[in-house]
């Protein structure tokens, strides 16, 4: 005989609760931390997704091995003095506050409240350390230099957030983490490039106070042309 | 009584000399070498002249002291792994071939034959080591990174040749020295920026095989805007 259904639990005592305190939506816990060599498989996949997004896979030749040896060489210089990667991780449970031992950088934690849960079809592929921690994006940057200011700055080579995590402020969090690090180190500026037809991005950058250097054009010497120019009788 | 004038020396035996071997014009001996901290006063003056040339002296705040501490800090990393300066020096007499002990870079020598001598009104101000050695220009560059290639490259922040040394191929020599170093290190590319109205420079760069990234715009976050963005609650 089936056991009788238990009686319903007593209703909680009604109380006056401020609407502000009512839990609404879905909390996503985020962490920005320095990447290490063990993150290279994720970094490789993120860069590949970026190449797909930019329709530039014909220019993509990075391998996990070449990324490891160039981003994390033996006797790596300290973070921020050379090529540096911040990873953005998300979790449905809070990150431990003292979670990893990064002497040069304390991970940045933020809780984001969203109206709808994020469905991540590639969660398994981007699983990071921790139970339900997933890598959602990255930023790759390195020092540049202003001779007028006689100060270093940072140049952001890549900033990328996986598709299902976009339009939630995560890109801004990554950019802001680099700006905060620049300010902390007394650096003079942060620079990056944007495509001239990407008017939404340009508007966003201008609103946050960035100047768009309209007259500047980047020149690039690469491949055979680089070799040829290097070999001329100087 | 005045001594009688000595007889004129005998004329040299006439000989058939190929016209190619006839010395014509004026030889200028050039050397490109790594700058060191003792070159900072010259580097400071060169950067200031560049600011004057670009009509950007209001943005110029570098001092000899700030250049020393940022370009040549204590425990400097090896050249080419961070901010690096090549100096172009000229002399009317040949440079000694084994002239300085730069373990990381052998100075590049070239003799340039010019139709007219160079009159340098600032020779004293730019006097370098050696009897008649004068600093004529510089290039400041540092590593950048391509994540698609998983390779470093070089970014040229400044390239400058003093006015009386222009239009003699010296700028190309400095650029080529950086390209040669990039190729030697297996680096993937060399990049710099040019102003879009500088059609002569763009033509020159295109002829040497550089691509001009027409759709790219550089974004810069600096000064108060950088501080503000760094301080937002990320």
């Amino acid at each position: 005989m089936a056991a009788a259904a238990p009686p319903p639990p007593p209703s909680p005592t009604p109380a006056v609760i401020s609407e502000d305190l009512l839990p609404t939506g879905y909390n996503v816990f985020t962490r920005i931390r320095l990447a290490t060599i063990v993150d290279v498989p994720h970094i490789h996949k993120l860069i590949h997704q970026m190449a797909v997004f930019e329709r530039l896979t014909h220019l993509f030749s990075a391998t996990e091995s070449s990324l490891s040896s160039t981003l994390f060489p033996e006797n790596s210089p300290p973070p921020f003095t050379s090529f540096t990667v911040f990873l953005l991780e998300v979790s449905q449970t809070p990150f431990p506050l003292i979670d990893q031992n990064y002497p040069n950088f304390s991970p940045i934690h933020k809780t984001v409240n969203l109206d709808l849960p994020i469905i991540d079809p590639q969660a398994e592929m981007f699983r990071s350390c921790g139970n339900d921690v997933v890598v959602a994006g990255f930023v790759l940057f390195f020092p540049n230099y202003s001779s007028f200011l006689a100060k270093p700055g940072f140049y952001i080579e890549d900033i990328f957030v996986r598709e299902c995590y976009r339009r939630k402020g995560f890109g801004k969090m990554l950019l802001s983490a680099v700006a905060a690090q620049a300010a902390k180190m007394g650096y003079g500026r942060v620079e990056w490039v944007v495509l001239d037809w990407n008017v939404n991005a340009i508007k966003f950058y201008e609103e946050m106070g960035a100047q768009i250097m309209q007259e500047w054009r980047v020149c690039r010497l690469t491949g055979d042309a680089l070799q040829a120019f290097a070999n001329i009788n100087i």
Side-chain angles (χ1 to χ4, degrees), chain A residues 41-95:
Chain A
H42 285 145
I43 296 171
H44 182 254
K45 285 195 284 273
L46 289 166
I47 296 172
H48 185 260
Q49 289 200 351
M50 192 171 61
V52 171
F53 177 73
E54 296 179 354
R55 300 185 183 185
L56 292 174
T57 47
H58 56 289
L59 300 180
F60 178 83
S61 60
T63 63
E64 290 187 12
S65 165
S66 60
L67 285 171
S68 291
S69 63
T70 53
L71 290 178
F72 305 100
E74 280 183 59
N75 304 313
S76 278
F80 311 119
T81 63
S82 182
F83 317 131
T84 303
V85 177
F86 280 157
L87 281 188
L88 168 70
E89 294 170 322
V90 299
S91 173
Q92 308 208 8
T93 52
F95 288 91

Side-chain angles (χ1 to χ4, degrees), chain A residues 110-183:
Chain A
K110 188 178 179 187
T111 307
V112 179
N113 191 263
L114 301 174
D115 291 339
L116 294 170
I118 296 169
I119 310 296
D120 182 354
Q122 298 183 313
E124 274 315 307
M125 200 194 294
F126 285 96
R127 184 80 57 204
S128 188
C129 47
N131 270 343
D132 63 354
V133 179
V134 170
V135 174
F138 81 111
V139 57
L140 189 159
F141 60 106
F142 48 79
N144 65 4
Y145 190 80
S146 161
S147 46
F148 283 10
L149 302 177
K151 273 188 184 178
F154 282 134
Y155 182 83
I156 297 177
E157 176 69 19
D158 299 317
I159 189 162
F160 183 74
V161 173
R162 287 172 49 221
E163 189 170 2
C164 59
Y165 295 99
R166 291 185 200 147
R167 291 170 293 280
K168 298 171 195 345
F170 292 155
K172 191 173 185 178
M173 284 167 57
L174 283 167
L175 198 51
S176 177
V178 179
Q181 186 63 31

